[in-house]
């Protein structure tokens, strides 16, 4: 399957829900009325696009109706254009050299920390990212900094074996910051291009979790200037708008550089990608479309909007 085909297949559920409802509304009443505009609004909200995006789309539909009249008014095309515009606005301005959407430091390893609540896909995404960068001839290392569960260390080691990527790990219960420190040392010694740090999603309390992350980032920041160079929040698309709340909390504790939205393959809530990017102004860097190593794609605003609306 080609890249776009895979992207589209993964977004099929979101696409179906969104376009089916919009088509039903415009087919029934081709002439825009206050009532049909309200229905369009409801459909957009139901697709988890968020209030701000919904208002932008309905505003554009209304404007088009008032200036061009109802004949040939294509609601879907308008929605697609507005979504694309909004996604591009948050994606732009990243700047600097990049590799597959990630910053790339001129010298020394680029350190990428993956954070998020439990079960969102941090470990899987660390492995997928290592694999993606490997296919681009980058040398990569993984750090097993979720030391809170023994199984978490085993899980990432298994990925390492499968992908032939070295995993720097400590003992179960070890200080995550000290494992991260060892991993940065190893990455420097081996001249690795990228180091991906898998972190815990659950500790005794949420306060602990945020403090651990802050400490981990502080420790490696002292060791290597600017590290972690990327802090990616991993969000589970199936949680819909809940992800927005998580994103706000994490962003306050550990300044994020971008988002990864996973499990888009299993949900019709794909619209939340748009809502979150719009509300937080943080770029979505990657999306997860399955459980395999190559089921991760750099986010592409244009393709995303196209996959949402195109037949
Ligand atoms: N369908 C699908 N499943 C995914 C995706 N990403 C991750 N998963 C699955 O989600 C589950 C949780 O993934 P993990 O990577 O273990 O999540 P985590 O954030 O590391 O979880 P904790 O370490 O418990 O905090 C696993 O069964 C993954 O295979 C995705 O993009 N699509
Ligand atoms: Mg994990």
């Amino acid at each position: 399957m080609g890249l776009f085909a895979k992207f589209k297949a993964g977004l099929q559920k979101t696409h179906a829900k969104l376009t089916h409802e919009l088509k039903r509304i415009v087919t029934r009443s081709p002439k825009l009325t206050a009532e049909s505009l309200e229905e369009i609004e409801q459909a957009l909200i139901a697709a988890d696009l968020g209030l701000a995006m919904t208002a932008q789309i309905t505003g554009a539909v209304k404007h088009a109706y008032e200036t061009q009249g109802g004949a040939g008014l294509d609601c879907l095309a308008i929605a697609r254009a507005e979504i694309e515009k909004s996604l591009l606005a948050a994606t732009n301005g990243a700047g600097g050299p990049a590799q597959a959407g990630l910053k790339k430091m001129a010298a020394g390893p680029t350190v990428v920390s993956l954070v998020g609540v439990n079960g969102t896909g941090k470990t899987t995404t660390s492995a997928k990212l290592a694999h993606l960068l490997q296919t681009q001839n980058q040398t990569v290392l993984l750090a097993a900094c979720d030391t809170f569960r023994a199984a978490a260390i085993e899980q990432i080691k298994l990925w390492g074996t499968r992908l032939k990527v070295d995993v720097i790990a400590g003992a179960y219960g070890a200080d995550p910051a000290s494992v991260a420190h060892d991993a940065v040392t190893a990455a420097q010694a081996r001249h690795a291009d990228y180091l991906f740090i898998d972190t815990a999603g659950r500790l005794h309390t949420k306060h602990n979790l945020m403090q651990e992350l802050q400490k981990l980032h502080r420790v490696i920041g002292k060791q290597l200037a600017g590290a972690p160079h990327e802090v990616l929040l991993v969000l589970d698309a199936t949680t819909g708008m809940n992800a927005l709340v998580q994103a706000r909390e994490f962003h306050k504790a550990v300044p994020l550089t971008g988002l990864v939205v996973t499990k888009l393959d299993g949900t019709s809530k794909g619209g939340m990608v748009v809502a979150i990017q719009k509300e937080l102004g943080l770029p979505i860097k990657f999306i997860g479309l399955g459980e395999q190593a190559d089921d991760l794609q750099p986010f592409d605003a244009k393709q995303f909007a196209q996959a949402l609306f195109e037949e």
Side-chain angles (χ1 to χ4, degrees), residues 28-256:
R28 203 200 46 215
S29 55
K31 203 166 140 43
L32 193 71
T33 63
E35 193 194 341
S36 61
L37 195 62
E38 199 165 302
E39 279 189 89
I40 290 170
E41 190 175 13
Q42 287 308 318
L44 297 171
I45 290 171
D48 278 302
L49 285 168
L51 294 179
M53 191 68 240
T54 298
Q56 185 181 325
I57 296 170
T58 51
V61 170
K62 217 168 144 198
H63 178 76
Y65 182 76
E66 282 161 2
T67 53
Q68 305 156 27
L73 190 67
D74 189 345
C75 269
L76 273 76
I78 293 171
R80 174 175 159 181
E82 293 303 321
I83 286 174
E84 191 179 310
K85 215 193 293 174
S86 171
L87 288 173
L88 280 172
T91 312
N92 287 340
Q99 188 79 38
L102 289 177
K103 256 177 234 161
K104 169 105 199 240
M105 294 301 114
T110 302
V111 181
V112 182
S113 173
L114 289 108
V115 302
V117 303
N118 61 292
T120 52
K122 292 176 297 300
T123 306
T124 311
T125 302
S126 316
K128 286 172 171 177
L129 278 173
H131 175 67
L132 178 68
L133 274 293
Q134 225 178 5
T135 63
Q136 302 190 354
N137 299 318
Q138 305 293 301
T139 52
V140 299
L141 259 188
L142 284 163
C145 290
D146 180 357
T147 57
F148 191 66
R149 293 179 305 120
I153 302 172
E154 290 315 309
Q155 185 190 358
I156 193 157
K157 279 186 176 168
L158 195 64
W159 272 113
T161 308
R162 230 185 273 164
L163 300 173
K164 299 188 172 60
V165 173
D166 284 341
V167 179
I168 306 301
Y172 162 59
D175 178 1
S178 96
V179 178
H181 188 275
D182 289 349
V184 170
T185 304
Q188 287 174 316
R190 300 176 194 193
H191 303 291
D193 295 308
Y194 282 93
L195 168 66
F196 295 99
I197 299 182
D198 181 32
T199 66
R202 177 178 18 203
L203 288 183
H204 297 293
T205 68
K206 198 182 285 169
H207 182 65
N208 276 345
L209 177 66
M210 298 303 180
Q211 280 195 321
E212 283 284 11
L213 288 174
Q214 287 169 340
K215 179 180 164 194
L216 192 158
H217 289 176
R218 206 166 48 235
V219 165
I220 60 173
K222 275 189 200 153
Q223 192 182 1
L224 175 64
H229 308 99
E230 295 265 14
V231 181
L232 302 180
L233 176 67
V234 182
L235 296 168
D236 176 343
T238 64
T239 58
M241 284 304 176
N242 218 338
L244 189 59
V245 180
Q246 291 166 24
R248 284 209 188 95
E249 279 180 13
F250 273 90
H251 197 35
K252 238 190 286 165
V254 281
L256 305 168

Side-chain angles (χ1 to χ4, degrees), residues 15 18-19 22 76 79-80 83 304-311:
H15 162 83
L18 189 60
T19 56
L22 286 179
L76 273 76
R80 174 175 159 181
I83 286 174
F304 187 86
Q306 189 181 348
L308 274 190
F309 289 100
E310 198 182 73
E311 286 317 306

